[in-house]
Amino acid sequence: MAHGGGGRAMAQLLDDIFRPAFDNAWLAQQHDGAVVDMPGAMAFTTDSYVVRPLFFPGSDIGTMAVHGTVNDLAMCGARPQYLSAGFILEEGLPLATLCRVVDSMAAAAVEAGVQIVTGDLKVVERGKADGVYINTAGVGKVVAPKPVEPARVQAGDRILLSGDLGRHGVAVMTAREKLELESAIESDCASVVQPVLALLEEGIDVRCLRDLTRGGLASALVEVSESAGLAAEIREVDIPVREDVSAFCELLGLDPLHVANEGRFITIVAEQDVARATDILRQYPVSQGAVEIGHFVQGPAGLVTASSMIGASRVIDRLSGEQLPRIC
């Protein structure tokens, strides 16, 4: 508990673990906050991470805390620049575990091109948390020449999906329940900043972006459709889902369209931009599986329908309740 008391033990923890990992000019000032210069339009977001277990196939809570926030900034058409990081630690957490999480955050920040410039640390009693909870907030400079938002989506616009669905939610669940599968399923947790910025830099008129975290593809499409005042039609046969992920979902009665992802997003563009936008996305490992999966049409706001291989159609609703809790 002394490590969260604001005294010598806390100062030593900051000096030994956090400052060396996140080293930059703003942290070196040891000020109450960070003073940054950001002229022009700015995007600002925050998220909290309570995933259990802390480490799972393909990623961990530290990496996700950085990628999740920079991805939210990218969805606003912004280049992520600065993050804050707030930690709530459970008394008795091994320092080796904390170091591993912090090192993951530092590596993810370098990969995403952001600086962690300020933060906070609290310690709660043993049994009051699951090791580590992390909150990150981020700011980024808006580089999109036009707003990237659901209000700009028009009937006829196409929906591009960046890759296969469902691996993050399945990876966390199998690690938590210690399930042994025939094949290893790793989380898709990753930064999507590079392909998004590439779309904007190449002059693609991106109408809207949405990452597919809690609620998955289904909830994202319903939300955009509602805000845009349009209906959406997608083709299930074109939506990539790995066979092992599909089999796991079928076993547990899950719909892959509802399962959370941490490195997948949809891009909505005009029909004439589909081919060029797809080519750009496929140049980056995180979005090399980009495909067009459907389009928006005039119709009831929020109505999303999916057609199957045999021509049947079903209504896709947003996730009701919590399908897989504590996955982010």
Side-chain angles (χ1 to χ4, degrees):
M1 292 297 293
H3 286 110
R8 183 176 300 172
M10 181 171 169
Q12 184 176 357
L13 189 67
L14 296 177
D15 289 340
D16 290 347
I17 296 179
F18 290 94
R19 288 198 178 95
F22 302 154
D23 183 41
N24 57 59
W26 295 272
L27 284 180
Q29 293 177 2
Q30 300 191 37
H31 199 4
D32 279 351
V35 178
V36 297
D37 185 13
M38 293 193 64
M42 181 185 73
F44 178 34
T45 188
T46 186
D47 207 342
S48 298
Y49 301 87
V50 297
V51 64
R52 180 171 61 87
L54 300 178
F55 306 95
F56 47 87
S59 194
D60 60 76
I61 189 173
T63 302
M64 193 164 56
V66 173
H67 286 165
T69 294
V70 300
N71 288 350
D72 283 345
L73 292 170
M75 296 300 104
C76 300
R79 182 188 300 277
Q81 292 187 268
Y82 305 107
L83 299 184
S84 70
F87 293 83
I88 296 176
L89 310 182
E90 181 182 8
E91 182 184 21
L93 176 74
L95 285 180
T97 300
L98 179 60
C99 288
R100 188 176 167 190
V101 170
V102 170
D103 287 345
S104 291
M105 291 186 72
V110 170
E111 177 189 350
V114 297
Q115 304 271 7
I116 299 174
V117 297
T118 189
D120 184 47
L121 174 67
K122 297 290 189 302
V123 180
V124 298
E125 296 90 343
R126 191 185 302 268
K128 300 296 184 183
D130 275 337
V132 181
Y133 297 150
I134 302 174
N135 171 272
T136 48
V139 294
K141 180 178 177 58
V142 175
V143 295
K146 298 178 182 177
V148 178
E149 58 189 19
R152 290 196 59 233
V153 177
Q154 302 173 19
D157 284 352
R158 306 293 160 161
I159 304 164
L160 307 183
L161 171 63
S162 66
D164 65 300
L165 295 181
R167 281 191 286 122
H168 174 71
V170 172
V172 173
M173 182 57 66
T174 54
R176 183 186 306 167
E177 303 301 330
K178 297 182 173 53
L179 301 176
E180 294 187 4
L181 304 179
E182 291 186 359
S183 62
I185 299 176
E186 294 189 337
S187 168
D188 55 40
C189 184
S191 165
V192 302
V193 172
Q194 284 190 319
V196 169
L197 293 180
L199 289 172
L200 299 172
E201 289 167 356
E202 292 295 328
I204 300 294
D205 181 11
V206 178
R207 310 265 211 235
C208 185
L209 296 160
R210 188 61 60 96
D211 57 349
L212 311 178
T213 54
R214 285 179 299 172
L217 173 66
S219 294
L221 285 173
V222 172
E223 290 169 5
V224 173
S225 298
E226 284 182 345
S227 299
L230 297 168
E233 298 176 351
I234 59 174
R235 304 177 297 274
E236 283 197 90
V237 68
D238 291 331
I239 297 174
V241 180
R242 278 183 16 178
E243 287 188 10
D244 48 4
V245 173
S246 180
F248 180 90
C249 290
E250 187 174 349
L251 182 66
L252 296 187
L254 305 175
D255 185 342
L257 303 190
H258 283 137
V259 177
N261 314 271
E262 286 293 336
R264 294 288 178 259
F265 64 102
I266 53 172
T267 306
I268 299 165
V269 298
E271 182 178 7
Q272 62 267 25
D273 285 334
V274 167
R276 202 156 63 92
T278 304
D279 288 343
I280 293 169
L281 291 172
R282 289 177 177 171
Q283 293 174 18
Y284 297 87
V286 71
S287 53
Q288 63 183 3
V291 291
E292 182 198 340
I293 61 169
H295 60 283
F296 286 87
V297 297
Q298 294 290 351
L303 176 63
V304 179
T305 56
S307 60
S308 70
M309 186 179 300
I310 60 174
S313 180
R314 67 178 176 121
V315 174
I316 304 297
D317 203 355
R318 59 158 50 94
L319 178 63
S320 177
E322 190 69 80
Q323 193 176 45
L324 298 172
R326 301 284 299 277
I327 46 81
C328 62

